[in-house]
Amino acid sequence: MKAYLGIDVGSVSTNLVVMDEEEQVLDSIYIRTLGQPVKAVQEGLKIMGQKWGDKTAINGVGVTGSARNLTAVLVGADAVKNEITAHAVAVSQVVPSAQTIIEIGGQDSKIIVMRDGIVTDFAMNTVCAAGTGSFLDQQAMRLNIPIEEFGELALKAHNPVRIAGRCAVFAESDMIHKQQLGHSLEDIIAGLCEALVRNYLNNVGKGKDIMPPLVFQGGVAANIGIKTAFEKALGHELIIPKYYDVMGALGCCYLGKKATAHSTTKFKGWQAANFNFRPTSFECKGCPNLCEVIEIYENDVLIARWGDRCGKWSNKSIKVG
Amino acid sequence: MLLSFPHMGNIHFPLTRVCQVLDIPYLLPSPPGPKALALGQELAPEGSCLPFLLVLGNMREALDQGADTILMLGGSGPCRFGYFVYLADKLLKDAGYEFQMLIVDKGHHLENYTFLKKEREIKLSQIISAVQYGWELLNCQDMVERMEREYFPAVCEPLKFKEELAYYRKRIEEACSRTDLKSLRKEMVENLENTPRRPVESVLRIGLVGDIYTMLEPQANQHIEEYLLSKGICIYKDMAVTKWIPNVFLPWRKSKYKRHLLKESYPYLCNSVGGFGLESVASTCKLGKNEVDGIIQLFPLGCMPEIVARSALNKICKEERLPVMSITMDQHQSMTGFQTRLEAFLDLVQNKKEAPSAS
């Protein structure tokens, strides 16, 4: 059976989706990146390969996420795209009528405005991570609550407290202060959800045409507390797609399919899971730019280099042993 | 006397030439980068913008290497409430450096002249002719870069065009008189303008607006121009030293210049907001009218004028149906996040261009 693979390697999670020729999702997995993208991708490939290696033949691979360039080299990708396009592609297939996409991931939050399936406007947080998944994760850890139960707890609140949401660090001190005053855990968590939503709408969503149907996706969409806070603030119901947490990877399946319409795939095969990938880096002293150059070795063969501005290193024949 | 000056784009080249003509010993700091950033950060107050850190770092590096006079173009304008250069001067002197700051801005010309006369016995006529030569050099440089930005992605024979650009760059470097430069510029414009190009509609065109340092210094804008050109996108940018300098040297041109800007930015911004806010809005309006498919605004974190301009830009974006993206630049070393946004924006602009009815 022909199939397509999409990989999204983000700051917090690494997602893989396998889609068949009829554009049905066969399987999806969500693994924590834990700061080791290479390991996470290989683990994902291993799991998927064991399940689907014999039954499917991968005809196209798309990658996205902040580690997309690295991943593209590891697995041999046909399409390398930014997250915004990948997410928009997935939504235009899954919820064709969507006009606004709210996506909150590990370290970025974005809003994508679509009209007739085409992105007409978007925004992404630039210099601040307040109100992203990582922050929620950290706070859940601090309060010793499993992140999965975080949202449920927020729903039990009676009087959500007001928390400064502009800066993650000050939000944390605000939370600690409220907690020391004796507010209940539920109220604090609900307050945090509201602060996060407020920050998102005032920061990323500022000046954007937020029109229904609204789609909410990304890892944070699993958090019912945030969803409720959004609905309260916007006055519209949010649609959470079935594969909300792997939409980037799903979009990559479509992109991979499109990219291989007239060519064969560059996919290295599931066995890439067992290759020994070794990234190293050095600082080029050739000029005052002091570029940090990354080298990727596959089984002790140098397969790629990047990070230099001038092209001195990345242009070098990558076949040198 | 050992003169030095901070970098901003290519401005150092005409400056060094002027020094050579006037026989002033000079010292060029290394281009802005991690080193300048680290040096600047140690002295600057918290929350200083990236251009300030880099400029301060450049000055400090030069002083460490023995410079005793620092030349600064402008810096007492509306940016940082007019204290940009004074703050740098004070911070460095507080840190124990001893030097003379030469500010090239209105109200300082006489002072600078007296200093140069005393130190190097330079006559006024010499200065005037050297400055005129430097000015022409700057104009030539701006012209080459402008032609590369606007034409290169559309030319039919890119390699040949690159060769020609390199040829003219070399000749500009070698030219040693103002008249040579003038005729060279004329020849270059005539020659390069007639390069066979694909129709402008077939190429994606992006306008760049923002504050002067971020616009001109590749280190402060993550080399955005290089990136866009490599993707085959024509870049339109109004910001240039040559447009800004006359208003520093010739105060009577200022009100005319401002009236012109206000006319262009009407009705989105009706007053100067300091820095280059008005320029950004005026340039967006002008570029948006017929030239570009999208606008990218770049500014350093905390730049108030550009934040004001951004609100006006959002309005233009809605009313004129012109895609606008604002990116805040800070000390990020990694290109990934920046490229993600750029790529997504380019996808958006491309799609919009292909299906104009959809928006």
Side-chain angles (χ1 to χ4, degrees), chain A residues 78-138:
Chain A
D78 304 298
V80 187
K81 268 286 175 195
N82 61 84
E83 299 93 296
I84 291 160
T85 306
H87 280 284
V89 165
V91 172
S92 66
Q93 302 286 341
V94 180
V95 192
S97 65
Q99 300 224 65
T100 313
I101 306 167
I102 296 172
E103 206 270 344
I104 305 187
Q107 277 184 2
D108 54 35
S109 49
K110 37 192 166 298
I111 185 162
I112 306 173
V113 178
M114 297 181 63
R115 299 289 180 263
D116 304 319
I118 287 179
V119 180
T120 61
D121 197 2
F122 72 88
M124 198 165 167
N125 61 334
T126 40
V127 279
C128 173
T132 55
S134 289
F135 177 55
L136 284 179
D137 234 17
Q138 207 185 351

Short mmCIF file of all heavy atoms in Angstrom, two decimals, chain A residues 78-138:
data_model
loop_
_atom_site.label_atom_id
_atom_site.label_comp_id
_atom_site.label_asym_id
_atom_site.label_seq_id
_atom_site.Cartn_x
_atom_site.Cartn_y
_atom_site.Cartn_z
N ASP A 78 11.10 15.00 1.12
CA ASP A 78 10.77 15.55 -0.19
C ASP A 78 10.27 16.98 -0.08
O ASP A 78 10.40 17.76 -1.00
CB ASP A 78 9.70 14.69 -0.85
CG ASP A 78 10.16 13.25 -0.95
OD1 ASP A 78 11.17 13.02 -1.63
OD2 ASP A 78 9.54 12.38 -0.32
N ALA A 79 9.64 17.30 1.05
CA ALA A 79 9.14 18.66 1.24
C ALA A 79 9.58 19.16 2.61
O ALA A 79 9.42 18.46 3.61
CB ALA A 79 7.62 18.70 1.15
N VAL A 80 10.18 20.33 2.65
CA VAL A 80 10.58 20.94 3.92
C VAL A 80 9.83 22.27 3.99
O VAL A 80 10.08 23.15 3.19
CB VAL A 80 12.10 21.20 3.96
CG1 VAL A 80 12.52 21.67 5.34
CG2 VAL A 80 12.85 19.96 3.57
N LYS A 81 8.91 22.37 4.93
CA LYS A 81 8.08 23.58 4.96
C LYS A 81 8.00 24.16 6.35
O LYS A 81 8.18 23.45 7.34
CB LYS A 81 6.67 23.24 4.49
CG LYS A 81 6.47 23.44 3.00
CD LYS A 81 6.39 24.92 2.63
CE LYS A 81 6.32 25.09 1.12
NZ LYS A 81 6.58 26.45 0.69
N ASN A 82 7.72 25.46 6.42
CA ASN A 82 7.53 26.10 7.71
C ASN A 82 6.22 25.63 8.34
O ASN A 82 5.32 25.16 7.66
CB ASN A 82 7.54 27.60 7.55
CG ASN A 82 6.43 28.05 6.65
OD1 ASN A 82 5.31 28.23 7.07
ND2 ASN A 82 6.72 28.21 5.36
N GLU A 83 6.12 25.80 9.66
CA GLU A 83 4.97 25.29 10.40
C GLU A 83 3.67 25.93 9.98
O GLU A 83 2.62 25.29 9.97
CB GLU A 83 5.13 25.54 11.90
CG GLU A 83 6.32 24.90 12.56
CD GLU A 83 7.52 25.83 12.58
OE1 GLU A 83 8.00 26.17 11.49
OE2 GLU A 83 7.96 26.21 13.67
N ILE A 84 3.73 27.22 9.66
CA ILE A 84 2.49 27.93 9.37
C ILE A 84 1.83 27.35 8.12
O ILE A 84 0.64 27.03 8.12
CB ILE A 84 2.77 29.44 9.23
CG1 ILE A 84 3.14 29.98 10.61
CG2 ILE A 84 1.56 30.18 8.70
CD1 ILE A 84 3.88 31.26 10.63
N THR A 85 2.62 27.18 7.09
CA THR A 85 2.08 26.61 5.87
C THR A 85 1.59 25.18 6.12
O THR A 85 0.51 24.79 5.67
CB THR A 85 3.13 26.64 4.75
OG1 THR A 85 3.61 27.98 4.63
CG2 THR A 85 2.56 26.21 3.44
N ALA A 86 2.39 24.40 6.86
CA ALA A 86 2.01 23.01 7.11
C ALA A 86 0.68 22.93 7.86
O ALA A 86 -0.21 22.15 7.51
CB ALA A 86 3.11 22.31 7.92
N HIS A 87 0.51 23.76 8.88
CA HIS A 87 -0.73 23.76 9.64
C HIS A 87 -1.90 24.18 8.77
O HIS A 87 -2.98 23.60 8.83
CB HIS A 87 -0.62 24.69 10.85
CG HIS A 87 0.12 24.08 11.99
ND1 HIS A 87 -0.45 23.13 12.80
CD2 HIS A 87 1.37 24.27 12.45
CE1 HIS A 87 0.44 22.76 13.71
NE2 HIS A 87 1.55 23.44 13.52
N ALA A 88 -1.67 25.22 7.97
CA ALA A 88 -2.75 25.72 7.14
C ALA A 88 -3.18 24.67 6.12
O ALA A 88 -4.37 24.48 5.87
CB ALA A 88 -2.30 27.00 6.45
N VAL A 89 -2.20 23.95 5.57
CA VAL A 89 -2.52 22.91 4.59
C VAL A 89 -3.39 21.84 5.23
O VAL A 89 -4.41 21.42 4.67
CB VAL A 89 -1.22 22.29 4.02
CG1 VAL A 89 -1.50 21.00 3.30
CG2 VAL A 89 -0.53 23.27 3.11
N ALA A 90 -3.00 21.43 6.43
CA ALA A 90 -3.76 20.38 7.11
C ALA A 90 -5.19 20.84 7.38
O ALA A 90 -6.15 20.11 7.11
CB ALA A 90 -3.07 20.00 8.42
N VAL A 91 -5.35 22.05 7.88
CA VAL A 91 -6.69 22.52 8.22
C VAL A 91 -7.54 22.69 6.95
O VAL A 91 -8.72 22.34 6.95
CB VAL A 91 -6.62 23.87 9.00
CG1 VAL A 91 -8.00 24.46 9.18
CG2 VAL A 91 -5.98 23.63 10.36
N SER A 92 -6.93 23.17 5.89
CA SER A 92 -7.73 23.36 4.68
C SER A 92 -8.27 22.03 4.15
O SER A 92 -9.25 22.00 3.43
CB SER A 92 -6.91 24.08 3.60
OG SER A 92 -5.86 23.25 3.18
N GLN A 93 -7.63 20.91 4.53
CA GLN A 93 -8.13 19.60 4.12
C GLN A 93 -9.12 19.03 5.13
O GLN A 93 -10.10 18.39 4.76
CB GLN A 93 -6.96 18.61 3.96
CG GLN A 93 -5.90 19.03 2.97
CD GLN A 93 -6.35 18.90 1.53
OE1 GLN A 93 -7.30 18.18 1.23
NE2 GLN A 93 -5.69 19.63 0.65
N VAL A 94 -8.84 19.26 6.40
CA VAL A 94 -9.64 18.62 7.44
C VAL A 94 -10.90 19.43 7.77
O VAL A 94 -11.99 18.88 7.93
CB VAL A 94 -8.78 18.42 8.72
CG1 VAL A 94 -9.59 17.76 9.82
CG2 VAL A 94 -7.56 17.59 8.40
N VAL A 95 -10.74 20.74 7.91
CA VAL A 95 -11.89 21.62 8.16
C VAL A 95 -11.90 22.68 7.06
O VAL A 95 -11.44 23.80 7.28
CB VAL A 95 -11.77 22.30 9.55
CG1 VAL A 95 -13.09 22.97 9.92
CG2 VAL A 95 -11.34 21.33 10.62
N PRO A 96 -12.41 22.34 5.87
CA PRO A 96 -12.25 23.27 4.74
C PRO A 96 -12.90 24.63 4.97
O PRO A 96 -12.47 25.62 4.38
CB PRO A 96 -12.95 22.54 3.59
CG PRO A 96 -13.06 21.12 4.02
CD PRO A 96 -13.12 21.12 5.51
N SER A 97 -13.89 24.70 5.84
CA SER A 97 -14.58 25.98 6.00
C SER A 97 -13.89 26.91 7.00
O SER A 97 -14.31 28.04 7.17
CB SER A 97 -16.00 25.72 6.47
OG SER A 97 -15.97 25.13 7.76
N ALA A 98 -12.84 26.43 7.65
CA ALA A 98 -12.21 27.21 8.73
C ALA A 98 -11.76 28.58 8.26
O ALA A 98 -11.25 28.74 7.15
CB ALA A 98 -11.01 26.44 9.28
N GLN A 99 -11.99 29.59 9.10
CA GLN A 99 -11.53 30.95 8.75
C GLN A 99 -10.41 31.42 9.66
O GLN A 99 -9.69 32.34 9.31
CB GLN A 99 -12.69 31.94 8.87
CG GLN A 99 -13.85 31.59 7.96
CD GLN A 99 -14.39 32.83 7.26
OE1 GLN A 99 -13.70 33.43 6.47
NE2 GLN A 99 -15.61 33.20 7.57
N THR A 100 -10.34 30.83 10.85
CA THR A 100 -9.28 31.24 11.78
C THR A 100 -8.70 29.99 12.45
O THR A 100 -9.46 29.12 12.88
CB THR A 100 -9.84 32.17 12.87
OG1 THR A 100 -10.63 33.16 12.26
CG2 THR A 100 -8.72 32.81 13.65
N ILE A 101 -7.40 29.93 12.52
CA ILE A 101 -6.75 28.82 13.21
C ILE A 101 -5.97 29.38 14.39
O ILE A 101 -5.15 30.28 14.23
CB ILE A 101 -5.76 28.07 12.28
CG1 ILE A 101 -6.47 27.64 11.00
CG2 ILE A 101 -5.16 26.89 13.00
CD1 ILE A 101 -5.50 27.18 9.92
N ILE A 102 -6.27 28.85 15.55
CA ILE A 102 -5.50 29.21 16.74
C ILE A 102 -4.61 28.02 17.03
O ILE A 102 -5.10 26.92 17.23
CB ILE A 102 -6.43 29.48 17.93
CG1 ILE A 102 -7.32 30.70 17.64
CG2 ILE A 102 -5.65 29.66 19.21
CD1 ILE A 102 -8.39 30.92 18.67
N GLU A 103 -3.30 28.24 17.01
CA GLU A 103 -2.41 27.12 17.22
C GLU A 103 -1.46 27.47 18.34
O GLU A 103 -0.76 28.47 18.29
CB GLU A 103 -1.63 26.82 15.94
CG GLU A 103 -1.17 25.41 15.81
CD GLU A 103 0.22 25.16 16.39
OE1 GLU A 103 0.96 26.13 16.63
OE2 GLU A 103 0.53 24.00 16.64
N ILE A 104 -1.48 26.68 19.39
CA ILE A 104 -0.55 26.93 20.49
C ILE A 104 0.29 25.68 20.70
O ILE A 104 -0.22 24.61 21.01
CB ILE A 104 -1.29 27.32 21.79
CG1 ILE A 104 -2.19 28.53 21.53
CG2 ILE A 104 -0.27 27.65 22.88
CD1 ILE A 104 -2.83 29.09 22.75
N GLY A 105 1.56 25.84 20.47
CA GLY A 105 2.46 24.70 20.59
C GLY A 105 3.37 24.86 21.78
O GLY A 105 3.07 25.60 22.71
N GLY A 106 4.48 24.19 21.72
CA GLY A 106 5.40 24.18 22.85
C GLY A 106 6.01 25.55 23.13
O GLY A 106 5.89 26.07 24.23
N GLN A 107 6.65 26.14 22.12
CA GLN A 107 7.29 27.43 22.37
C GLN A 107 6.81 28.51 21.45
O GLN A 107 7.34 29.60 21.46
CB GLN A 107 8.80 27.29 22.29
CG GLN A 107 9.33 26.78 23.59
CD GLN A 107 10.82 26.72 23.62
OE1 GLN A 107 11.49 27.10 22.67
NE2 GLN A 107 11.36 26.25 24.71
N ASP A 108 5.83 28.20 20.63
CA ASP A 108 5.29 29.30 19.85
C ASP A 108 3.78 29.22 19.81
O ASP A 108 3.19 28.18 19.98
CB ASP A 108 5.91 29.39 18.45
CG ASP A 108 5.79 28.12 17.69
OD1 ASP A 108 4.77 27.43 17.85
OD2 ASP A 108 6.71 27.80 16.93
N SER A 109 3.20 30.36 19.63
CA SER A 109 1.76 30.40 19.45
C SER A 109 1.53 31.21 18.18
O SER A 109 2.25 32.16 17.92
CB SER A 109 1.09 31.07 20.64
OG SER A 109 1.72 32.27 20.96
N LYS A 110 0.58 30.75 17.41
CA LYS A 110 0.32 31.48 16.17
C LYS A 110 -1.16 31.58 15.89
O LYS A 110 -1.96 30.80 16.41
CB LYS A 110 1.06 30.87 14.99
CG LYS A 110 1.16 29.37 14.97
CD LYS A 110 2.16 28.95 13.89
CE LYS A 110 2.61 27.51 13.98
NZ LYS A 110 3.32 27.13 15.16
N ILE A 111 -1.48 32.56 15.08
CA ILE A 111 -2.85 32.68 14.59
C ILE A 111 -2.74 32.70 13.08
O ILE A 111 -1.84 33.32 12.52
CB ILE A 111 -3.53 33.95 15.14
CG1 ILE A 111 -4.99 33.97 14.72
CG2 ILE A 111 -2.83 35.23 14.70
CD1 ILE A 111 -5.84 34.92 15.54
N ILE A 112 -3.62 31.96 12.43
CA ILE A 112 -3.59 31.94 10.97
C ILE A 112 -4.98 32.30 10.49
O ILE A 112 -5.96 31.67 10.91
CB ILE A 112 -3.17 30.55 10.42
CG1 ILE A 112 -1.85 30.11 11.05
CG2 ILE A 112 -3.08 30.57 8.91
CD1 ILE A 112 -1.44 28.70 10.72
N VAL A 113 -5.09 33.32 9.68
CA VAL A 113 -6.39 33.72 9.16
C VAL A 113 -6.49 33.19 7.75
O VAL A 113 -5.61 33.41 6.92
CB VAL A 113 -6.52 35.26 9.18
CG1 VAL A 113 -7.85 35.69 8.59
CG2 VAL A 113 -6.37 35.78 10.59
N MET A 114 -7.57 32.43 7.49
CA MET A 114 -7.73 31.84 6.16
C MET A 114 -9.04 32.28 5.55
O MET A 114 -10.04 32.45 6.25
CB MET A 114 -7.71 30.32 6.25
CG MET A 114 -6.40 29.80 6.77
SD MET A 114 -6.31 28.03 6.86
CE MET A 114 -6.47 27.52 5.20
N ARG A 115 -9.03 32.49 4.27
CA ARG A 115 -10.27 32.75 3.54
C ARG A 115 -10.27 31.85 2.31
O ARG A 115 -9.32 31.91 1.52
CB ARG A 115 -10.37 34.22 3.11
CG ARG A 115 -10.37 35.23 4.26
CD ARG A 115 -11.67 35.20 5.06
NE ARG A 115 -11.62 36.18 6.13
CZ ARG A 115 -11.31 35.90 7.40
NH1 ARG A 115 -11.01 34.67 7.75
NH2 ARG A 115 -11.29 36.84 8.31
N ASP A 116 -11.32 31.06 2.17
CA ASP A 116 -11.43 30.11 1.05
C ASP A 116 -10.20 29.22 0.95
O ASP A 116 -9.67 28.99 -0.14
CB ASP A 116 -11.62 30.86 -0.28
CG ASP A 116 -12.82 31.79 -0.24
OD1 ASP A 116 -13.84 31.37 0.32
OD2 ASP A 116 -12.70 32.93 -0.71
N GLY A 117 -9.74 28.74 2.08
CA GLY A 117 -8.64 27.79 2.07
C GLY A 117 -7.28 28.39 1.79
O GLY A 117 -6.30 27.67 1.63
N ILE A 118 -7.18 29.72 1.72
CA ILE A 118 -5.88 30.34 1.47
C ILE A 118 -5.52 31.23 2.66
O ILE A 118 -6.36 31.95 3.19
CB ILE A 118 -5.92 31.16 0.17
CG1 ILE A 118 -5.95 30.22 -1.02
CG2 ILE A 118 -4.72 32.10 0.08
CD1 ILE A 118 -6.01 30.90 -2.34
N VAL A 119 -4.25 31.15 3.08
CA VAL A 119 -3.81 31.97 4.20
C VAL A 119 -3.80 33.42 3.76
O VAL A 119 -3.18 33.77 2.77
CB VAL A 119 -2.38 31.56 4.63
CG1 VAL A 119 -1.90 32.41 5.78
CG2 VAL A 119 -2.36 30.10 5.02
N THR A 120 -4.51 34.28 4.48
CA THR A 120 -4.48 35.70 4.11
C THR A 120 -3.74 36.54 5.15
O THR A 120 -3.38 37.67 4.89
CB THR A 120 -5.89 36.28 3.93
OG1 THR A 120 -6.58 36.17 5.17
CG2 THR A 120 -6.65 35.55 2.87
N ASP A 121 -3.55 36.00 6.31
CA ASP A 121 -2.84 36.76 7.35
C ASP A 121 -2.39 35.77 8.42
O ASP A 121 -3.03 34.74 8.62
CB ASP A 121 -3.79 37.79 7.95
CG ASP A 121 -3.04 38.87 8.72
OD1 ASP A 121 -1.80 38.82 8.74
OD2 ASP A 121 -3.69 39.74 9.31
N PHE A 122 -1.29 36.07 9.05
CA PHE A 122 -0.88 35.22 10.17
C PHE A 122 -0.02 36.02 11.11
O PHE A 122 0.47 37.09 10.76
CB PHE A 122 -0.11 33.99 9.67
CG PHE A 122 1.27 34.31 9.17
CD1 PHE A 122 2.34 34.33 10.06
CD2 PHE A 122 1.51 34.62 7.86
CE1 PHE A 122 3.61 34.65 9.62
CE2 PHE A 122 2.78 34.93 7.41
CZ PHE A 122 3.84 34.95 8.30
N ALA A 123 0.12 35.54 12.30
CA ALA A 123 1.03 36.17 13.25
C ALA A 123 1.59 35.09 14.14
O ALA A 123 0.96 34.05 14.35
CB ALA A 123 0.32 37.22 14.08
N MET A 124 2.77 35.33 14.62
CA MET A 124 3.44 34.34 15.46
C MET A 124 4.17 35.13 16.53
O MET A 124 4.68 36.21 16.25
CB MET A 124 4.44 33.62 14.56
CG MET A 124 4.92 32.33 15.08
SD MET A 124 5.71 31.48 13.71
CE MET A 124 6.54 30.20 14.59
N ASN A 125 4.18 34.61 17.73
CA ASN A 125 4.89 35.34 18.79
C ASN A 125 6.35 35.47 18.42
O ASN A 125 6.95 34.55 17.89
CB ASN A 125 4.71 34.64 20.13
CG ASN A 125 5.28 33.24 20.13
OD1 ASN A 125 5.36 32.62 19.07
ND2 ASN A 125 5.68 32.75 21.26
N THR A 126 6.92 36.65 18.67
CA THR A 126 8.31 36.82 18.25
C THR A 126 9.31 36.73 19.39
O THR A 126 10.19 35.89 19.38
CB THR A 126 8.53 38.16 17.52
OG1 THR A 126 7.78 39.17 18.17
CG2 THR A 126 8.12 38.07 16.08
N VAL A 127 9.19 37.60 20.36
CA VAL A 127 10.26 37.62 21.36
C VAL A 127 9.79 37.16 22.74
O VAL A 127 10.51 37.33 23.71
CB VAL A 127 10.90 39.01 21.49
CG1 VAL A 127 11.90 39.22 20.40
CG2 VAL A 127 9.86 40.10 21.48
N CYS A 128 8.60 36.60 22.87
CA CYS A 128 8.12 36.23 24.18
C CYS A 128 7.41 34.89 24.12
O CYS A 128 6.70 34.60 23.18
CB CYS A 128 7.17 37.32 24.69
SG CYS A 128 6.36 36.88 26.20
N ALA A 129 7.63 34.07 25.12
CA ALA A 129 7.03 32.74 25.12
C ALA A 129 5.92 32.62 26.15
O ALA A 129 5.43 31.54 26.42
CB ALA A 129 8.08 31.69 25.35
N ALA A 130 5.52 33.74 26.77
CA ALA A 130 4.45 33.66 27.75
C ALA A 130 3.21 33.13 27.04
O ALA A 130 2.87 33.57 25.97
CB ALA A 130 4.18 35.03 28.34
N GLY A 131 2.54 32.21 27.68
CA GLY A 131 1.32 31.71 27.09
C GLY A 131 1.53 30.63 26.07
O GLY A 131 0.75 30.46 25.15
N THR A 132 2.60 29.86 26.18
CA THR A 132 2.74 28.72 25.29
C THR A 132 2.77 27.45 26.12
O THR A 132 2.78 27.49 27.35
CB THR A 132 4.05 28.83 24.48
OG1 THR A 132 5.12 28.97 25.40
CG2 THR A 132 4.02 30.01 23.55
N GLY A 133 2.80 26.34 25.41
CA GLY A 133 2.72 25.06 26.08
C GLY A 133 3.81 24.83 27.11
O GLY A 133 3.56 24.29 28.18
N SER A 134 5.02 25.27 26.79
CA SER A 134 6.13 25.05 27.71
C SER A 134 5.85 25.64 29.08
O SER A 134 6.17 25.06 30.11
CB SER A 134 7.40 25.71 27.19
OG SER A 134 7.88 25.02 26.11
N PHE A 135 5.25 26.82 29.07
CA PHE A 135 4.96 27.50 30.32
C PHE A 135 3.94 26.72 31.13
O PHE A 135 4.12 26.50 32.34
CB PHE A 135 4.48 28.92 30.01
CG PHE A 135 4.08 29.70 31.22
CD1 PHE A 135 4.97 29.87 32.28
CD2 PHE A 135 2.82 30.26 31.33
CE1 PHE A 135 4.60 30.58 33.40
CE2 PHE A 135 2.45 30.97 32.44
CZ PHE A 135 3.34 31.13 33.48
N LEU A 136 2.89 26.28 30.46
CA LEU A 136 1.87 25.48 31.15
C LEU A 136 2.50 24.23 31.74
O LEU A 136 2.23 23.85 32.89
CB LEU A 136 0.77 25.08 30.18
CG LEU A 136 -0.24 26.15 29.80
CD1 LEU A 136 -1.24 25.57 28.82
CD2 LEU A 136 -0.96 26.68 31.03
N ASP A 137 3.33 23.60 30.92
CA ASP A 137 4.02 22.39 31.33
C ASP A 137 4.80 22.59 32.62
O ASP A 137 4.71 21.81 33.57
CB ASP A 137 5.03 22.05 30.24
CG ASP A 137 4.87 20.64 29.73
OD1 ASP A 137 3.79 20.07 29.98
OD2 ASP A 137 5.81 20.13 29.10
N GLN A 138 5.53 23.70 32.62
CA GLN A 138 6.39 24.03 33.74
C GLN A 138 5.56 24.27 35.00
O GLN A 138 5.91 23.83 36.09
CB GLN A 138 7.13 25.28 33.36
CG GLN A 138 8.44 25.45 34.02
CD GLN A 138 9.02 26.80 33.63
OE1 GLN A 138 8.49 27.49 32.75
NE2 GLN A 138 10.07 27.18 34.28
#
